Amino acid sequence: MTSSKSTKRALVSSALAIIMCVAMLIGATFAWFTDTASTGVNKIQAGNLDVELEYSKDFTEWKKVNDTTKVFEDSTRWEPGRTEVVYLRVKNAGTLALKYTLGIYNLYNSTGKNVLGNKYSLSDYVKLGVAEADAAYADRAAAISAVQDSAKTLNSIGDTGVVGADLATNTTKVYAMVLYMPTEVGNEANPKNNDPYWAAKVSFGISVSATQAMSESDSFDNTYDEDAASILSAISFSSGKHEITQNMQANGRFGAVQAEKRAQFTINADVYAVYTRDASGTTGGAMAVSADGDSKVIINGGDFRQVSVPADDPVCDLIYALGNATIEINGGTFKAVTPANTLNCKDGSNAKITVKGGSFYKYDPSNPTLGDNEVEVAAGYHVVQNGDWFNVVAD
């Protein structure tokens, strides 16, 4: 009897122990399935590309440059030995690394007559050089010495960039821009009778063009912006054959791509034309391509657009021809701020734009608003509309 009771108690105790073990196992298993891990709140923020240009005459007081800033004295009477220096500070004020080109644009010459009775251009004799600087130059000789190896006459530089570099966010780089007339210049730049009427004049603007650089990384690498513009200055030639295959973003006052006289260009790249006012601050333009003289431009592909066009001056041509120039469009996308001015030829010229392909935003090249008999879709091609875009395709 006692043995039977003991056995029953042992069985009851074992059963209870098993139940408790199972309960604990279930609880442990339940805990494993409901265990969680979490991160804090994730925030994403748009990057900002922002380049600023400041200038100083003494390397101490710095002022921001705007459309009307005159960094050189415009009342100067240039003569051999005359030298002017301005210090320019390029600042990356945004949150993204950028690459930039610092240069001159809108070079304008008025010719004069010298004491020898010959016409002359001041920009054939005044030189411009640029060098990195960390302090103001002690004297004129030091300034000229710093840039003379790379200095060129203004006409030799033209509407192009002078220097370029990559710049990390919140950093600056300072350059000295030295303008001088060499002492070896003689009477060829001496105006007739020392009369201001016969004196040659020149004007130009200074700009910094920037776009994003390959620096920041995503989940894969730092090459996601490798297709950003790699050419940041206008390209201009008056002869020879030239191919543009690298994306570019440049001053479009006279064309980011400028074909003159007998030059021939073939383009298969993105061309973004940046709007820039002229030296007087009153007019501007943002032409991606400009062809003049007897030049020829063939556009095989790329994206052609206008950048930073102000609301008070939205009318400017994207692709423009004058003189006897011809432009042939075989492909690419074209989007102008004012669609009617996507393609245009100067009235009264012999210029011609022929379209054999491409997509045009709100612009039908078979029915141009401007340039009747100057802009035409070639025989064997027609236009197909797709929403806001007009596509030129083969018959």
Side-chain angles (χ1 to χ4, degrees), residues 237-243 259-260 262-266 294-298:
F237 286 101
S238 58
S239 63
K241 295 183 178 180
H242 311 276
E243 288 191 22
E260 301 178 321
R262 294 173 300 281
Q264 295 184 39
F265 279 90
T266 301
D294 296 308
S295 65
K296 182 176 182 178
V297 177
I298 299 174

Side-chain angles (χ1 to χ4, degrees), residues 16 18 52 60 69 122 148 201 268 302 317 328 354 369 393:
L16 289 173
I18 292 172
E52 294 181 354
T60 300
T69 301
L122 189 61
Q148 64 180 357
K201 299 178 180 64
N268 192 357
D317 301 311
E328 179 183 305
T354 304
T369 307
V393 298

Side-chain angles (χ1 to χ4, degrees), residues 56 71-72 78 81-88 102 104 125-133 135-137 139-154 157 162-163 175-182 204 206:
S56 174
V71 298
F72 291 113
W78 280 90
R82 172 82 191 194
T83 305
E84 290 194 24
V85 181
V86 63
Y87 302 100
L88 298 169
L102 174 67
I104 69 172
Y125 302 101
V126 174
K127 286 190 170 184
L128 177 71
V130 179
E132 288 189 41
Y137 295 126
D139 50 36
R140 182 184 301 105
I144 295 176
S145 176
V147 303
Q148 64 180 357
D149 290 342
S150 59
K152 298 179 181 179
T153 63
L154 291 174
I157 296 173
V162 180
V163 296
Y175 298 92
M177 185 171 280
V178 182
L179 194 66
Y180 68 100
M181 181 181 282
F204 60 89
I206 300 172

Side-chain angles (χ1 to χ4, degrees), residues 337-348:
V337 172
T338 305
N341 290 69
T342 302
L343 308 179
N344 192 19
C345 295
K346 184 176 181 180
D347 292 341

Side-chain angles (χ1 to χ4, degrees), residues 1 15 217 230 249 359:
M1 189 73 173
S217 298
S230 54
Q249 172 185 307
S359 298

Side-chain angles (χ1 to χ4, degrees), residues 176-199:
M177 185 171 280
V178 182
L179 194 66
Y180 68 100
M181 181 181 282
T183 54
E184 59 266 26
V185 175
N187 281 336
E188 59 270 24
N190 187 9
K192 181 180 179 181
N193 301 328
N194 197 28
D195 186 344
Y197 177 79
W198 296 110

